[in-house]
Amino acid sequence: MAKSSADDEELRRACEAAIEGTKQSIVMSIRVAKSRGVWGKSGKLGRQMAKPRVLALSVKSKGQRKKAFLRVMKYSSGGVLEPAKMYKLKHLSKVEVITNDPSGCTFTLGFDNLRSQSVAPPQWTMRNTDDRNRLLVCILNICKDVLGRLPKVVGIDIVEMALWAKDNTPVVTTQRSTEDGGPVAETVTESDLKVTVEKELVSQAEEEDMEALLGTYVMGIGEAEAFSERLKRELQALEAANVHAILESEPLVDEVLNGLEAATNIVDDMDEWLGIFNVKLRHMREDIESIETRNNKLEMQSVNNKALIEELDKVIERLRVPSEYAASLTGGSFDEADMLQNIEACEWLAKALRGLEVPNLDPIYANMRAVKEKRAELEKLKATFVRRASDFLRNYFASLVDFMVSDKSYFSQRGQLKRPDHADLRYKCRTYARLLQHLKGLDKNCLGPLRKAYCSSLNLLLRREAREFANELRASTKVSRNPTVWLEGSTGSSQNANTDTSAVSDAYAKMLTIFIPLLVDESSFFAHFMCFEVPALAPPGGAGNDKKSQSNNDDGNDDDDDLGIMDIDETDKKTGKNSPDLTALNESLQDLLDGIQEDFYAVVDWAYKIDPLRCISMHGITERYLSGQKADAAGFVRLLLGDLESRVSMQFSRFVDEACHQIERNERNVRQMGVLPYIPRFAALATRMEQYIQGQSRDLVDQAYTKFVSIMFVTLEKIAQQDPKYADILLLENYAAFQNSLYDLANVVPTLAKFYHQASEAYEQACTRHISMIIYYQFERLFQFAKKIEDLMYTITPEEIPFQLGLSKMELRKMLKSSLSGVDKSIAAMYKKLQKNLASEELLPSLWDKCKKEFLDKYESFVQLVAKVYPSENVPGVTEMRGLLASM
């Protein structure tokens, strides 16, 4: 038989090394196989794949107290034992041997402190039953000695285990010496040799008592005949005793039978009486049940009647119209002192109407005649109140505006510009703001006429304020009118072009500063006051907001009224659809502010008449307000600013078109020489335009530059074509004048720089053409001869050229004699011709330098050709010709 792992000293030492430092000693260590029990469909316990483990029993002493543990060891990847789990034996409640395992080597240990009792505990499988019994006996001995109790044992008899323990405890014989020196054999069990806590399950005294008890029943079973005789004798004695007893008890039996018969009769009588009583009780029970049923019905009816009365009282209370509210709704006053009572009546009416709707009212009551009649009565009250309130508010709005219009002190007067102040108007309107909110809740359709009435009345006031302000603004602005003719006419018109007209753009800016914030505030107040459900925006940002906030403070508005309204386009971008309320708001704002744009247009037209160039400043001012109001302006105000910008752009375009017509008129004049008048005048105009640029008006000015210069260059080319003989002179003089006059501006204005480079290229081309014409005029034969040679060199070799007709050496000598004899006179004539028709004397030096360079380049090419074709002929050298030109 293989040696048990419980006797493996190496295993014990490995376990002690694994728990080193815990102050625990190993009592027993044994190898086992761990598996997990699972419950299948059949209800039988199966096992998963087994894993090798080592179970170690350990104890820890602390004074007189001892603690016992069951440790589970597992093998690491390197084959070293390491602790996996530890159980305290004081929590061991059950030891169960699995009956499904035929070998009987599998058992489970149940602990009462496990968190999940629904999970099957692990199963431990030993190599044989001896290892199993050895481990279990050790566990039970420790539990008995250390804990003083035994766990519940299932699947194995504890007495059998005790007998196994007695039979399988190994005996070790040791020798000891007595006093006389002789050796004496002493029998000691192996368990006694180890200092452990293992003990027998049954003590010696208990075993002796069990043997004595069993000894009393030893009957000599080994002597069969004597035992059989003894049994026969005892059977005969028992039969004789039974017969004798029966004979002696006959009188007693008769007496018992008589008593039983009498008792039977009494029982029969009792049964008959009980049957009668049972029938009576059944009838009584039925009567009681009938009475209880009627009583329950009456009690339920009483409860239902009480609940019905309470519910009807609530309905009646809900249907009752308080007399004070009815009086306010049908005939109350709308004075400021009575508005609180009217608001309370509105709130009650709205609440009462909601209370009669199905979600708030039980559907059972919805079809009751009383409820229908009361709903009709409330609807009538609502219609009456809405009609009365609407009539009052329409008249109230009209009276407020009529009072302000009739008082001239509200408007600008001669010599006094008056900033519009609507603080008092808004204060009076706010008195009825809550009334409008309740009217919207009662009847949303009633707000349409009210909004129209408000817009109509306030539109009269706003247009009157704008008209009076604009008139006085124009009257109080004193400035001389600048000429509208910039690019033609006498020089006197351009002398007045430097008049300061900044007061015109300042007046326009003042108009916007006063009225744009006012219109935005009116739009916001209107949306808030007339209960439009539109999104409120963030506080304003951008240009022009400081002035807006200043005007708001002057008006004394509350922060609650500074409600920004998003325009339709912005809402479409954010929500993807057009809000119905937002559409209605912008339509109402159209009615509120329509017509006021005419007064702004009048200021723009007036400024244009005084100084058309001020359109540049006004465009920048308008663009700044438009970008600044983008975040908080109402839809119509942004449209107004956009229209104003378009108006300013249109007027400026009109000025640009007229100036272009002035340029084009030069084309119809008689032959012109020298610098055309519109070239220097455009430089003065561009300088003035640059001074007026503000904000985003650069694009406007650049477009004007593009149109001006394009027309100027086209007209210049057309005038030059009228006299081809002097065309290049006219072009180079005017392009040079254009560059000289715009040199400083072209360095800072990209658009003008582009045209500057264009004029520079055109100037170079005109110079080249004019100089070539002068050179060919004086040395025509020389360069024609050279051109013939160049043309022939493409088809024949240079050696063959002297033999061609007209290109012989004789012809070369004749040409050189006619062209270069008196070359100094020809060069002087060339200079005079260049000087003759040039009106701009300052251009002569640069043109003469270009002319000499061009002549030398051409002459050098000619000399090279002669040297290649006529190597034997002598021609004046380039150095000689350069010296001659330098001396002149």
Side-chain angles (χ1 to χ4, degrees):
M1 180 177 174
K3 181 182 178 181
S4 173
S5 61
D7 301 326
D8 191 345
E9 291 299 328
E10 274 190 33
L11 181 64
R12 179 187 294 268
R13 285 193 294 272
C15 293
E16 288 175 348
I19 64 171
E20 185 178 1
T22 58
K23 297 183 180 179
Q24 298 179 15
S25 60
I26 299 296
V27 176
M28 174 183 283
S29 60
I30 191 166
R31 293 187 179 90
V32 298
K34 176 187 176 184
S35 59
R36 178 69 64 179
V38 293
W39 289 95
K41 294 184 178 178
S42 62
K44 294 183 178 181
L45 193 64
R47 286 197 298 270
Q48 298 176 343
M49 182 180 294
K51 301 176 182 177
R53 293 290 187 269
V54 174
L55 291 181
L57 292 170
S58 63
V59 295
K60 179 180 181 181
S61 300
K62 190 175 183 181
Q64 297 298 324
R65 296 174 57 193
K66 292 184 178 180
K67 293 183 179 180
F69 304 93
L70 175 65
R71 285 184 171 272
V72 181
M73 307 284 188
K74 68 177 182 180
Y75 289 96
S76 64
S77 58
V80 180
L81 279 179
E82 59 183 18
K85 288 188 179 180
M86 183 183 75
Y87 302 95
K88 295 182 179 179
L89 285 184
K90 70 178 182 179
H91 294 297
L92 181 65
S93 60
K94 182 173 72 171
V95 178
E96 180 178 359
V97 177
I98 303 301
T99 58
N100 289 339
D101 186 0
S103 66
C105 296
T106 304
F107 63 93
T108 62
L109 300 176
F111 293 88
D112 57 9
N113 66 333
L114 295 181
R115 294 181 181 178
S116 176
Q117 297 292 341
S118 61
V119 179
Q123 298 177 1
W124 311 100
T125 303
M126 318 297 290
R127 290 194 307 167
N128 49 52
T129 54
D130 290 337
D131 283 357
R132 181 204 68 184
N133 291 341
R134 192 168 184 176
L135 177 64
L136 295 183
V137 166
C138 186
I139 290 174
L140 293 175
N141 283 335
I142 291 175
C143 289
K144 182 177 179 182
D145 292 344
V146 176
L147 305 177
R149 63 174 181 81
L150 289 176
K152 181 180 178 181
V153 180
V154 179
I156 188 171
D157 190 353
I158 195 170
V159 177
E160 291 181 6
M161 290 186 63
L163 294 175
W164 178 91
K166 182 176 182 181
D167 293 340
N168 289 275
T169 302
V171 178
V172 179
T173 303
T174 60
Q175 291 186 350
R176 61 182 179 85
S177 297
T178 57
E179 294 179 359
D180 57 0
V184 178
E186 183 179 3
T187 302
V188 183
T189 63
E190 183 182 6
S191 59
D192 293 336
L193 295 176
K194 301 175 183 177
V195 184
T196 65
V197 294
E198 295 188 38
K199 299 294 181 180
E200 296 180 356
L201 294 176
V202 182
S203 64
Q204 186 68 29
E206 291 173 344
E207 184 178 351
E208 292 175 357
D209 291 342
M210 290 174 64
E211 289 180 355
L213 180 62
L214 292 173
T216 60
Y217 289 96
V218 176
M219 302 176 186
I221 296 176
E223 302 173 359
E225 294 180 0
F227 183 65
S228 176
E229 289 297 329
R230 180 180 173 183
L231 289 179
K232 289 179 181 178
R233 288 195 302 270
E234 288 181 359
L235 179 61
Q236 290 174 358
L238 285 174
E239 289 178 349
N242 288 337
V243 171
H244 185 268
I246 290 172
L247 292 176
E248 285 183 351
S249 62
E250 183 179 359
L252 295 174
V253 171
D254 292 339
E255 186 178 352
V256 171
L257 292 175
N258 292 332
L260 290 175
E261 185 176 0
T264 302
N265 294 332
I266 294 172
V267 168
D268 291 339
D269 294 339
M270 181 66 69
D271 183 62
E272 184 177 355
W273 279 105
L274 287 175
I276 295 171
F277 285 135
N278 189 29
V279 172
K280 290 184 178 181
L281 287 174
R282 186 172 68 249
H283 291 310
M284 187 178 297
R285 191 182 307 112
E286 291 175 355
D287 293 341
I288 291 173
E289 288 178 356
S290 176
I291 292 171
E292 286 181 350
T293 302
R294 290 196 300 270
N295 185 34
N296 289 338
K297 289 181 179 179
L298 289 173
E299 185 175 354
M300 183 178 295
Q301 186 177 2
S302 174
V303 172
N304 289 339
N305 288 338
K306 182 178 180 181
L308 178 61
I309 290 173
E310 291 177 355
E311 194 67 24
L312 289 176
D313 288 341
K314 292 179 182 178
V315 173
I316 292 173
E317 181 63 27
R318 185 181 294 182
L319 298 180
R320 188 179 68 85
V321 180
S323 58
E324 63 275 14
Y325 292 157
S328 296
L329 293 172
T330 55
S333 171
F334 288 100
D335 293 339
E336 186 174 352
D338 300 324
M339 281 311 299
L340 181 60
Q341 187 174 358
N342 288 329
I343 296 300
E344 291 177 354
C346 284
E347 292 174 349
W348 175 87
L349 179 59
K351 183 179 179 181
L353 286 170
R354 286 194 301 271
L356 295 182
E357 295 175 356
V358 172
N360 302 315
L361 182 68
D362 196 315
I364 300 173
Y365 300 141
N367 295 324
M368 291 177 60
R369 187 177 67 181
V371 174
K372 291 181 179 179
E373 291 176 353
K374 185 55 65 175
R375 188 183 295 115
E377 181 182 350
L378 293 179
E379 289 290 342
K380 186 177 180 181
L381 272 177
K382 181 184 77 172
T384 301
F385 179 76
V386 168
R387 177 181 49 81
R388 291 178 57 251
S390 298
D391 293 341
F392 168 77
L393 288 175
R394 279 197 298 269
N395 296 330
Y396 182 74
F397 296 150
S399 63
L400 277 179
V401 172
D402 290 343
F403 173 75
M404 295 181 69
V405 169
S406 61
D407 189 352
K408 293 184 178 181
S409 62
Y410 277 103
F411 307 105
S412 299
Q413 302 177 25
R414 184 172 296 277
Q416 179 185 4
L417 280 174
K418 179 76 173 181
R419 179 192 295 271
D421 186 3
H422 292 180
D424 187 55
L425 173 67
R426 294 178 191 172
Y427 174 77
K428 292 179 179 179
C429 288
R430 282 194 203 98
T431 305
Y432 299 96
R434 290 189 63 193
L435 177 61
L436 281 170
Q437 293 174 0
H438 286 291
L439 287 178
K440 180 180 180 181
L442 293 174
D443 184 6
K444 193 172 184 179
N445 295 327
C446 75
L447 289 181
L450 285 176
R451 290 166 178 170
K452 286 186 177 296
Y454 180 87
C455 292
S456 177
S457 299
L458 197 63
N459 180 260
L460 293 175
L461 178 63
L462 290 173
R463 291 182 64 181
R464 173 76 179 275
E465 289 173 337
R467 185 171 63 254
E468 296 293 342
F469 190 90
N471 292 339
E472 180 56 30
L473 189 65
R474 293 196 299 270
S476 60
T477 303
K478 304 298 183 183
V479 64
S480 301
R481 179 172 299 185
N482 254 354
T484 58
V485 180
W486 274 86
L487 301 179
E488 75 167 3
S490 63
T491 56
S493 61
S494 60
Q495 292 175 356
N496 297 326
N498 294 325
T499 304
D500 184 14
T501 57
S502 59
V504 173
S505 53
D506 292 343
Y508 176 77
K510 189 170 188 177
M511 183 81 176
L512 294 185
T513 302
I514 297 298
F515 277 91
I516 293 302
L518 174 67
L519 299 182
V520 172
D521 290 345
E522 285 301 329
S523 301
S524 302
F525 176 78
F526 174 72
H528 181 71
F529 180 57
M530 283 298 173
C531 307
F532 283 96
E533 294 179 0
V534 290
L537 300 183
N545 291 326
D546 296 337
K547 298 178 182 179
K548 176 183 180 300
S549 60
Q550 181 181 356
S551 64
N552 287 345
N553 294 335
D554 293 340
D555 292 342
N557 298 333
D558 293 334
D559 291 338
D560 293 340
D561 296 323
D562 191 14
L563 176 64
I565 306 302
M566 192 184 304
D567 74 332
I568 295 175
D569 296 334
E570 291 293 328
T571 306
D572 289 343
K573 292 176 184 176
K574 292 184 179 180
T575 64
K577 59 181 180 179
N578 193 359
S579 170
D581 249 19
L582 191 57
T583 303
L585 171 61
N586 281 279
E587 291 175 355
S588 297
L589 291 178
Q590 181 76 23
D591 297 335
L592 178 68
L593 306 176
D594 191 26
I596 196 171
Q597 64 269 26
E598 298 300 330
D599 297 297
F600 287 89
Y601 293 162
V603 175
V604 171
D605 296 343
W606 164 75
Y608 170 77
K609 292 177 181 178
I610 293 178
D611 187 358
L613 294 182
R614 281 296 166 183
C615 290
I616 301 174
S617 303
M618 292 190 293
H619 184 277
I621 293 169
T622 309
E623 182 64 30
R624 186 177 74 248
Y625 268 89
L626 188 60
S627 60
Q629 300 294 331
K630 187 175 294 185
D632 66 334
F636 185 80
V637 178
R638 292 200 57 217
L639 292 177
L640 171 62
L641 288 170
D643 292 343
L644 275 176
E645 187 179 35
S646 300
R647 184 81 169 202
V648 172
S649 299
M650 182 195 71
Q651 292 286 25
F652 187 69
S653 298
R654 177 182 164 191
F655 162 74
V656 172
D657 292 339
E658 290 179 356
C660 289
H661 290 315
Q662 296 169 16
I663 296 173
E664 291 173 345
R665 291 193 192 102
N666 288 274
E667 182 185 346
R668 298 189 292 270
N669 293 341
V670 190
R671 174 176 177 268
Q672 302 184 44
M673 295 298 292
V675 178
L676 299 178
Y678 61 73
I679 297 293
R681 290 179 185 172
F682 171 73
L685 175 63
T687 303
R688 189 69 178 270
M689 290 169 68
E690 288 296 321
Q691 295 173 357
Y692 290 166
I693 291 178
Q694 292 187 17
Q696 302 295 325
S697 54
R698 163 55 63 189
D699 293 340
L700 184 73
V701 174
D702 287 345
Q703 292 172 9
Y705 286 157
T706 302
K707 194 167 185 178
F708 279 144
V709 178
S710 299
I711 294 294
M712 287 166 59
F713 287 175
V714 170
T715 303
L716 177 59
E717 294 289 343
K718 288 181 179 180
I719 294 174
Q721 295 303 322
Q722 292 176 2
D723 191 356
K725 182 178 179 181
Y726 302 101
D728 291 331
I729 298 176
L730 182 67
L731 290 175
L732 68 87
E733 286 184 331
N734 281 276
Y735 282 128
F738 181 86
Q739 294 179 74
N740 293 333
S741 60
L742 291 178
Y743 177 78
D744 294 333
L745 286 178
N747 286 327
V748 294
V749 181
T751 303
L752 291 179
K754 179 182 68 172
F755 291 114
Y756 181 90
H757 293 305
Q758 181 179 341
S760 178
E761 293 175 2
Y763 169 77
E764 292 296 334
Q765 294 172 4
C767 285
T768 302
R769 289 194 303 270
H770 184 58
I771 290 171
S772 297
M773 183 270 296
I774 292 175
I775 293 173
Y776 275 103
Y777 181 79
Q778 294 296 331
F779 298 93
E780 182 176 3
R781 289 190 64 189
L782 178 69
F783 294 116
Q784 279 184 354
F785 193 87
K787 190 172 186 311
K788 289 179 183 180
I789 296 175
E790 288 178 351
D791 294 341
L792 287 174
M793 288 184 73
Y794 289 108
T795 57
I796 61 178
T797 60
E799 292 78 7
E800 297 176 356
I801 291 177
F803 303 101
Q804 301 299 317
L805 184 64
L807 295 177
S808 63
K809 293 182 179 181
M810 185 63 66
E811 294 293 335
L812 173 65
R813 295 187 192 106
K814 288 180 181 181
M815 183 274 298
L816 289 175
K817 184 177 181 180
S818 63
S819 298
L820 296 183
S821 59
V823 67
D824 52 347
K825 295 181 180 180
S826 299
I827 293 174
M830 192 167 56
Y831 178 80
K832 290 180 180 179
K833 188 171 182 61
L834 184 64
Q835 183 184 25
K836 179 179 179 182
N837 297 314
L838 194 64
S840 302
E841 292 292 336
E842 66 274 8
L843 297 178
L844 184 58
S846 62
L847 284 175
W848 179 237
D849 291 339
K850 288 179 182 289
C851 185
K852 290 190 292 184
K853 184 178 181 303
E854 182 73 16
F855 175 75
L856 283 174
D857 292 342
K858 290 179 180 294
Y859 186 75
E860 184 176 2
S861 299
F862 170 75
V863 171
Q864 291 175 357
L865 283 174
V866 171
K868 187 180 295 185
V869 178
Y870 307 98
S872 60
E873 296 295 324
N874 292 323
V875 180
V878 178
T879 305
E880 181 183 350
M881 192 64 68
R882 183 178 290 110
L884 181 61
L885 288 172
S887 65
M888 297 186 66

